[in-house]
């Protein structure tokens, strides 16, 4: 069900509780279409653990405002991914000052 659907599914299915009971501390999740994802990236995990972060996200800068990729946004004050299909033309053209 899109970006982030895995988390509610883990909770609803009981898998999250089973992972905790088994002692799982960290999980890496990435989109299947992300061919550049480095599975088990030790630097990424190390930085996340050293920072005592609950979660971490790797992104890259879009090459062009109209590139058809999702973007990280703040939605109701919380980090989220918004798909490019959900962006208005005005949003696509926004630039940070």
């Amino acid at each position: 069900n899109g970006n982030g659907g895995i988390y509610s599914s883990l909770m609803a299915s009981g898998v999250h509780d089973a992972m905790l009971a088994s002692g799982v501390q960290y999980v890496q999740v990435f989109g299947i279409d992300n061919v550049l994802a480095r599975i088990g990236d030790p630097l990424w995990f190390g930085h996340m653990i050293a920072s005592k972060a609950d979660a971490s996200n790797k992104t890259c800068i879009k090459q062009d405002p109209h590139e058809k990729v999702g973007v990280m946004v703040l939605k109701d004050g919380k980090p989220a991914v918004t798909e490019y299909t959900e962006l208005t033309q005005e949003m696509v053209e926004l630039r940070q000052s």
Side-chain angles (χ1 to χ4, degrees):
N1 61 354
N3 284 306
I6 187 173
Y7 305 108
S8 58
S9 296
L10 287 171
M11 298 299 282
S13 67
V15 171
H16 178 259
D17 290 336
M19 288 190 311
L20 290 176
S22 297
V24 174
Q25 293 181 302
Y26 307 103
V27 176
Q28 180 182 13
V29 178
F30 57 91
I32 194 167
D33 59 350
N34 186 349
V35 299
L36 300 177
R38 183 172 180 199
I39 299 171
D41 184 339
L43 293 177
W44 184 16
F45 273 107
H47 177 71
M48 187 186 82
I49 293 165
S51 300
K52 297 184 174 147
D54 291 329
S56 178
N57 186 30
K58 266 190 194 181
T59 62
C60 59
I61 297 172
K62 290 174 74 167
Q63 298 300 308
D64 177 88
H66 300 280
E67 188 174 358
K68 296 184 183 313
V69 296
V71 295
M72 290 297 304
V73 299
L74 286 177
K75 190 180 256 183
D76 298 325
K78 296 180 181 179
V81 176
T82 296
E83 291 298 335
Y84 69 93
T85 55
E86 300 171 4
L87 299 173
T88 65
Q89 186 66 28
E90 181 183 5
M91 292 169 147
V92 169
E93 300 293 335
L94 279 174
R95 291 286 184 265
Q96 205 171 23
S97 54

